[in-house]
Amino acid sequence: MSNLSTNPEKTRMQKMWHSNIAYSFRRNPVAIVSLAVFLLIALSTLFAPLLAPFDPYDMTQFNILDSELPPAWEQGGEARFVFGTDAQGRDLWSAILYGTRVSLIIGICAVAVQALLGITIGLVAGYVGGRVDSLLMRLADVQLSFSTLMVAIIFLAISQALFGSETFNEYALFILVIVIGVAEWPQYARTVRATVLAEKRKEYVDAARVLAFGPLRIMIKHILPNSISPIFVISTVQVANAIISEASLSFLGLGMPVSQPSLGSLISSGFDYIFSGSWWITTIPGIVLVVLVLVINLLGDWLRDVLNPKLYKG
Amino acid sequence: MFAYLVKRVFQAAVVMFVISLISFSIQDNLGDPLRELVGQSVSEEVREQLRDELGLNDSFLVQYGRFAKKAMRGDLGTSYFFKEPALEVILKKLPATLELVLGATFIIIGLSVPLGVFTAIRPHSIFSRVIMGFSIIGISVPVFLTAILMIFVFSVEMRILPSYGRGDVVHVFGYWSTNFLTWDGWKHILLPSAALASIMLPLFIRLIRSEMMETLQSEYVRFAWAKGLRPRRIWFVHALKNTLLPVITVGGVQIGTMVAYTILTETVFQWPGMGFMFLEAVNRVDTPLIVAYLIVVGFIFVVTNTIVDLIYGLVNPTVKLARMGA
């Protein structure tokens, strides 16, 4: 039964190296490059405090005389500020490092919230079935019929008006995670439910029931591990979407405040200066955002092709 | 079918009820209508008396009942800022937003069908690969960034297209104002609707492509080939027709999503539509206008989704049976 008895000398790493996923990964240059770029971005945001020459959250380090300096390679640029400065005289390179960190944290945490809610609801709906199932799925239908962005914009706009912008800015990160997390749970719930319905009929579930295992144990220890691959596939796409949603909301001024900018708020703060020719404040964070989302999407595409053999690549 | 229709309409009514409840509780908690009416310079006793007269001391349910009754008649309160009925303010802004969505829809249909069909028929050609490559980049670029980029290229650098506003509009049928009758109007609507279309276009190309590829594998298409029909007839008459069904339903749902994205495009282009107005209303804490926007947009979402579901039930017999039972 177990792989260990047939190949006792193989370590876990070796098994991973020889698995289908690893094989297809090595054969796919797009996936390799995407993962490399993603890791590069993720690591540089992780070590942002070490890499950034300035602290973008510390107002005392800004000098208004340094404002709107172009990138170092342009005429008038200074070597201190590789990517130039924004309207407040903040070093753009440091701001981008910290901003990408904020965007990634929000994206990943929001998807964690989505997954937690969606997987729980999907498991229950699929396993219990009947009225519970139809009620939960109706709820998912209704939730999905309102676009996430719409719900998030309205919710954030109103909470900003209710709490006042100071309190709002303090908890912006937390509120964004919750809003994007709650608005997208049906994506997970639907996928999980569909796989649970298929898995529920299989013999191993019957066997577990015969052994008198409780429904909770069967759901979490038996069915969930077998439904994990579609969850992986949507997770990548969902992280990309969450990052875009966060950027859009921050762009509208409903997300991260300018004192703690995410990529979206950086782009937004630069938009006012684009007509005066200061293109870099908007464009450079914009490129970082697009590259980040693009590599996640490309990885998601590759993962879907590998884990879902039914879909062939044209 | 009739039972399905009743069920669907009932569900829509429930959703609408929930939306109105949420909207009302927002109105109840956001801002003080009394201060908007009389300002700060009125004594506490007079305030209390006014509060009683206006019914602000009644229970939540009584107040909601009054709100719902008025809302049914189309009275959603008066905007604090515009000093006009909130519903009227929104209806004046509605044409701008709807024309934006319409323009984007034309661009999406005009491009996604030929491109989707081509990539499905010739999946290995270089052109197809380029389209698919662009489509994944397109999915990864947020709509506001596309819009900014377009402004930068076409308005700031090349100076051939205007960057904000609606330009010259023509009033038709009483209050509806349209961009489509003047050259200036066309020039103004081109960039915003192209930006709005850019977010949906990749999605639709991919959808049409995958549906078309699936259809091309089916038995009846193979039979048509065996019969010796001309390729064009098979692609565009036999296969495309069956491809469009899921595309239409997804499209219907996406119209609602487009209304959400109009908030972003309208902000970038300062397009005087509903979305732009909503954000301004939020900044001014113009509660009646916020509430009216919620109800109007909620209504648009509920109506489009119900209609799409009904059409889907009508044209797709397999789904109809399964769904009617549920």
Side-chain angles (χ1 to χ4, degrees), chain A residues 138 145 147 154 294 297 301, chain B residues 11 26 140 206 260 294 301 305:
Chain A
R138 257 305 114 81
S145 69
S147 101
I154 288 172
L294 182 66
N297 271 334
D301 258 22
Chain B
Q11 191 191 328
I26 289 166
S140 309
R206 292 177 143 230
L294 287 190
F301 269 87
N305 280 304

Side-chain angles (χ1 to χ4, degrees), chain B residues 47-123:
Chain B
R47 272 169 191 275
E48 204 49 42
Q49 199 186 345
L50 265 170
R51 219 172 258 282
D52 263 338
E53 275 172 30
L54 290 168
L56 292 170
N57 288 337
D58 293 345
S59 73
F60 181 82
L61 276 180
V62 174
Q63 290 197 48
Y64 172 74
R66 217 163 23 223
F67 169 81
K69 212 185 265 174
K70 275 185 175 174
M72 290 285 197
R73 288 194 306 247
D75 177 8
L76 293 171
T78 308
S79 159
Y80 297 150
F81 180 78
F82 292 96
K83 311 280 180 216
E84 275 176 61
L87 195 64
E88 238 171 71
V89 175
I90 288 185
L91 289 180
K92 264 187 221 159
K93 306 275 183 187
L94 188 69
T97 298
L98 285 186
E99 290 207 336
L100 193 58
V101 172
L102 196 71
T105 311
F106 278 132
I107 297 176
I108 291 171
I109 294 174
L111 286 177
S112 68
V113 173
L115 292 180
V117 169
F118 181 83
T119 48
I121 297 170
R122 302 246 178 280

Side-chain angles (χ1 to χ4, degrees), chain A residues 56 76 173 267 291:
Chain A
L173 195 121
I267 296 169
V291 169

Side-chain angles (χ1 to χ4, degrees), chain B residues 190-208:
Chain B
L190 187 63
L191 282 188
S193 49
L196 187 57
S198 74
I199 196 75
M200 299 284 168
L201 194 57
L203 191 89
F204 275 87
I205 293 177
R206 292 177 143 230
L207 181 71
I208 291 175

Side-chain angles (χ1 to χ4, degrees), chain A residues 84-153:
Chain A
T85 57
D86 71 358
Q88 296 173 301
R90 173 172 21 211
D91 176 41
L92 207 54
W93 163 238
S94 315
I96 288 175
L97 278 175
Y98 277 83
T100 317
R101 173 143 104 163
V102 173
S103 294
L104 260 180
I105 289 174
I106 293 178
I108 291 170
C109 291
V111 171
V113 173
Q114 288 171 19
L116 192 70
L117 268 176
I119 292 172
T120 316
I121 294 175
L123 273 177
V124 170
Y127 192 77
V128 178
R131 273 185 178 275
V132 179
D133 179 33
S134 57
L135 181 73
L136 288 174
M137 284 303 115
R138 257 305 114 81
L139 215 62
D141 277 350
V142 172
Q143 169 91 64
L144 267 190
S145 69
F146 292 92
S147 101
T148 314
L149 194 65
M150 194 83 226
V151 175
I153 288 174

Side-chain angles (χ1 to χ4, degrees), chain A residues 101-232:
Chain A
R101 173 143 104 163
V102 173
S103 294
L104 260 180
I105 289 174
I106 293 178
I108 291 170
C109 291
V111 171
V113 173
Q114 288 171 19
L116 192 70
L117 268 176
I119 292 172
T120 316
I121 294 175
L123 273 177
V124 170
Y127 192 77
V128 178
R131 273 185 178 275
V132 179
D133 179 33
S134 57
L135 181 73
L136 288 174
M137 284 303 115
R138 257 305 114 81
L139 215 62
D141 277 350
V142 172
Q143 169 91 64
L144 267 190
S145 69
F146 292 92
S147 101
T148 314
L149 194 65
M150 194 83 226
V151 175
I153 288 174
I154 288 172
F155 184 86
L156 289 170
I158 285 159
S159 44
Q160 204 177 34
L162 268 179
F163 302 137
S165 49
E166 243 167 65
T167 326
F168 179 85
N169 285 349
E170 216 169 296
Y171 298 104
L173 195 121
F174 183 69
I175 301 177
L176 278 170
V177 166
I178 295 295
V179 168
I180 301 172
V182 171
E184 288 263 304
W185 66 268
Q187 303 282 359
Y188 278 92
R190 281 187 164 183
T191 320
V192 172
R193 173 181 172 268
T195 40
V196 169
L197 284 182
E199 292 293 322
K200 200 167 76 167
R201 300 208 188 94
K202 292 191 180 162
E203 280 175 4
Y204 74 92
V205 176
D206 287 339
R209 255 194 225 129
V210 170
L211 285 169
F213 289 161
L216 200 66
R217 178 172 176 163
I218 297 179
M219 275 192 265
I220 294 172
K221 290 211 127 176
H222 298 252
I223 296 180
L224 187 58
N226 285 301
S227 335
I228 213 81
S229 63
I231 294 177
F232 265 137

